[in-house]
Amino acid sequence: MTSGTPASDREFDIVVYGATGFVGRLTAEYLARAGGGARIALAGRTRDKLLAVRDSLGSGARDWPILTADASAQSSLDAMAPRTRVVITTVGPYTRYGLPLVAACAAAGTDYADLTGEAMFVRKSIDEFHKQAIDTGARIVHACGFDSIPSDMSVFELYRRAAQDGTGSLMDTNFVLRGFSGGVSGGTVASMIEVFDASSSDPEIRALLDDPYTLTPDRVAEPELGAQPDLPWRRGRDIAPELAGTWTTGFAMALYNTRIVRRSNALLDYAYGRRFRYAENLSVGSSRVAPLVSAVASGVNNAAVELGSRYFGLLPKRLVERVVPAPGTGPSKEARDRGYYRAETYTTTTGGARYMASISQQGDPGYKATSVMLGECGLALALDRDALSDLRGVLTPAAAMGDALLARFPNAGIQLESTRLD
């Protein structure tokens, strides 16, 4: 490997890049409380704004250094990356602003974590920097927030549990979002806009995004398992007996999360199994109108994705800007604290065993909960290096730091446990 400055000799453990943004500031606040002595610096374009953020964080961040860096100035990112073990970034949309930082970290052998939900950005990151990151020893870890930590880590926990019990590999596996409260962040919406904008203007991108293995390391090596729809309409009992009486629709972020989970399986040398099928669902309950809600929601979701992926580029930019939340904005502290999510993931193994992994967390999923997840990913990469995977390159959370991250969850208020059902 040619990583330049060894990780142990870096000036900082973590640099929070984009600390003046809404989620960036929340992540910095979390690290100021839970950083465990990590050496942390704040980075962004404007020194005065960074100083104001640092001053708002309390005594725990009083001595944090301030670094100025800008995605439009590659030299500033190239200068920042070798100074730290890890860069965590909230600067999106990543399709517009992310690749220069990935390039800097891959070249410097610096670990990297982000919140992207943009599949084509991740695909470009893989195509352009995976090999270089392997050579320098960098871990480039995408999807370290509500997209896609609950999905990726729940499946990883099921894999660990089945392996521990000796019940075989995973087959049909279904994530079900059972409940949540919170808004969709401006950054998430901006990411979705980037995806639709790219796919509507390029049929080849649209075809790639339609492939369930968009992010695979080797498409030819993937098993052919038939259709794996992103937004299915299903009765709960078709997923698991425990969900009898409920109805589900497709979970909107499945278009991205499922690709991350499938990439994890491939990066881990198909440890989940060669017959592993994965889908994501959103529960709409068990009321009398639930079947209708499920059907209508599925129809609307599928139509929106189909139309958006083909015709989004025809919409006036000003109209789009008016109707979506602006990146960098977010709800009040009270609203963020009231938020939560709760999900269950069901699987059946080749040995006939059935398991369920449940994950829950207090805090608005797109804001408070996400800032905790990103902060813990940064801490795992920086401080738990002996517990990390030996893999390098463009990775997923489970492939890069599965065991280390699971160990961090309880103290971070993330409840994840698995149960054998039969």
Side-chain angles (χ1 to χ4, degrees), residues 12 39-42 54-55 58-66:
F12 310 117
R39 301 164 299 164
I40 298 171
L42 303 179
R54 186 183 69 179
D55 291 344
S59 59
R62 182 185 300 121
D63 298 325
W64 286 4
I66 299 298

Side-chain angles (χ1 to χ4, degrees), residues 201-268:
S201 61
D202 190 329
E204 291 185 5
I205 290 178
R206 187 159 61 246
L208 183 60
L209 291 174
D210 285 342
D211 189 339
Y213 299 105
T214 305
L215 304 180
T216 185
D218 181 356
R219 183 63 181 89
V220 176
E222 294 293 344
E224 292 300 331
L225 301 173
Q228 298 186 69
D230 289 319
L231 299 171
W233 172 37
R234 307 173 72 181
R235 296 174 297 184
R237 71 186 186 192
D238 294 333
I239 296 171
E242 292 75 13
L243 298 177
T246 67
W247 289 80
T248 73
T249 186
F251 179 39
M253 293 313 300
L255 284 78
Y256 179 67
N257 293 339
T258 55
R259 275 71 173 172
I260 291 291
V261 172
R262 293 182 191 120
R263 180 168 175 82
S264 292
N265 188 30
L267 288 169
L268 294 169

Side-chain angles (χ1 to χ4, degrees), residues 363-375:
D364 186 301
Y367 295 97
K368 183 177 180 179
T370 278
S371 67
V372 172
M373 294 179 217
L374 180 60

Side-chain angles (χ1 to χ4, degrees), residues 21-382:
F22 198 89
V23 177
R25 187 169 65 251
L26 292 177
T27 305
E29 289 177 1
Y30 179 73
L31 290 172
R33 298 192 306 270
R39 301 164 299 164
I40 298 171
L42 303 179
R45 289 183 299 176
T46 308
R47 181 175 178 80
D48 288 346
K49 291 183 178 180
L50 291 166
L51 287 169
V53 169
R54 186 183 69 179
D55 291 344
S56 72
L57 300 179
S59 59
R62 182 185 300 121
D63 298 325
W64 286 4
I66 299 298
L67 309 178
T68 54
D70 190 336
S72 65
Q74 185 70 55
S75 60
S76 69
L77 302 177
D78 292 341
M80 176 180 70
R83 301 177 66 183
T84 182
R85 289 183 170 188
V86 182
V87 176
I88 58 178
T89 174
T90 62
V91 179
Y94 293 92
T95 300
R96 294 187 194 178
Y97 306 117
L99 282 178
L101 182 57
V102 172
C105 290
T110 297
D111 290 353
Y112 161 107
D114 69 23
L115 298 173
T116 188
E118 301 160 51
M120 285 311 302
F121 164 72
V122 179
R123 186 67 257 176
K124 287 183 179 179
S125 176
I126 295 165
D127 293 342
E128 297 183 22
F129 300 108
H130 181 65
K131 176 61 167 61
Q132 183 182 27
I134 291 174
D135 291 342
T136 63
R139 299 176 181 89
I140 307 298
V141 190
H142 299 299
C144 292
F146 190 66
D147 311 313
S148 308
I149 291 288
S151 311
D152 204 29
M153 295 306 297
S154 290
V155 176
F156 184 78
E157 166 62 19
L158 289 170
Y159 146 70
R160 286 207 327 171
R161 179 63 183 272
Q164 176 184 317
D165 292 352
T167 53
S169 55
L170 309 185
M171 296 196 300
D172 283 352
T173 303
N174 286 275
F175 174 96
V176 184
L177 185 61
R178 296 299 304 274
F180 72 99
S181 175
V184 178
S185 72
T188 297
V189 173
S191 292
M192 295 175 71
I193 288 173
E194 290 293 322
V195 171
F196 281 145
D197 198 34
S199 62
S200 64
S201 61
D202 190 329
E204 291 185 5
I205 290 178
R206 187 159 61 246
L208 183 60
L209 291 174
D210 285 342
D211 189 339
Y213 299 105
T214 305
L215 304 180
T216 185
D218 181 356
R219 183 63 181 89
V220 176
E222 294 293 344
E224 292 300 331
L225 301 173
Q228 298 186 69
D230 289 319
L231 299 171
W233 172 37
R234 307 173 72 181
R235 296 174 297 184
R237 71 186 186 192
D238 294 333
I239 296 171
E242 292 75 13
L243 298 177
T246 67
W247 289 80
T248 73
T249 186
F251 179 39
M253 293 313 300
L255 284 78
Y256 179 67
N257 293 339
T258 55
R259 275 71 173 172
I260 291 291
V261 172
R262 293 182 191 120
R263 180 168 175 82
S264 292
N265 188 30
L267 288 169
L268 294 169
D269 196 22
Y270 299 95
Y272 302 168
R274 298 289 300 180
R275 295 161 63 188
F276 173 72
R277 289 171 53 92
Y278 180 71
E280 296 200 346
N281 312 268
L282 171 65
S283 173
V284 296
S286 57
S287 68
R288 290 183 178 180
V289 299
L292 177 61
V293 171
S294 174
V296 170
S298 294
V300 169
N301 286 342
N302 279 287
V305 169
E306 179 66 17
L307 292 173
S309 66
R310 292 179 179 274
Y311 305 113
F312 184 85
L314 301 178
L315 294 176
K317 298 296 183 184
R318 289 184 179 180
L319 174 62
V320 174
E321 291 172 356
R322 282 187 177 185
V323 300
V324 302
T329 62
S332 67
K333 182 180 185 304
E334 291 74 18
R336 297 195 304 269
D337 290 344
R338 285 196 302 269
Y340 73 95
Y341 70 86
R342 179 172 60 89
E344 297 167 352
T345 304
Y346 295 85
T347 195
T348 301
T349 73
T350 53
R354 295 179 55 249
Y355 295 91
M356 184 267 287
S358 62
I359 186 169
S360 62
Q361 188 179 0
Q362 191 66 32
D364 186 301
Y367 295 97
K368 183 177 180 179
T370 278
S371 67
V372 172
M373 294 179 217
L374 180 60
E376 289 296 334
C377 286
L379 291 169
L381 290 169

Side-chain angles (χ1 to χ4, degrees), residues 141 144 153 376-377 380-381 387-389 396-406:
V141 190
C144 292
M153 295 306 297
E376 289 296 334
C377 286
L381 290 169
L388 300 177
S389 162
T396 61
M401 51 187 162
D403 291 330
L405 201 53
L406 286 180

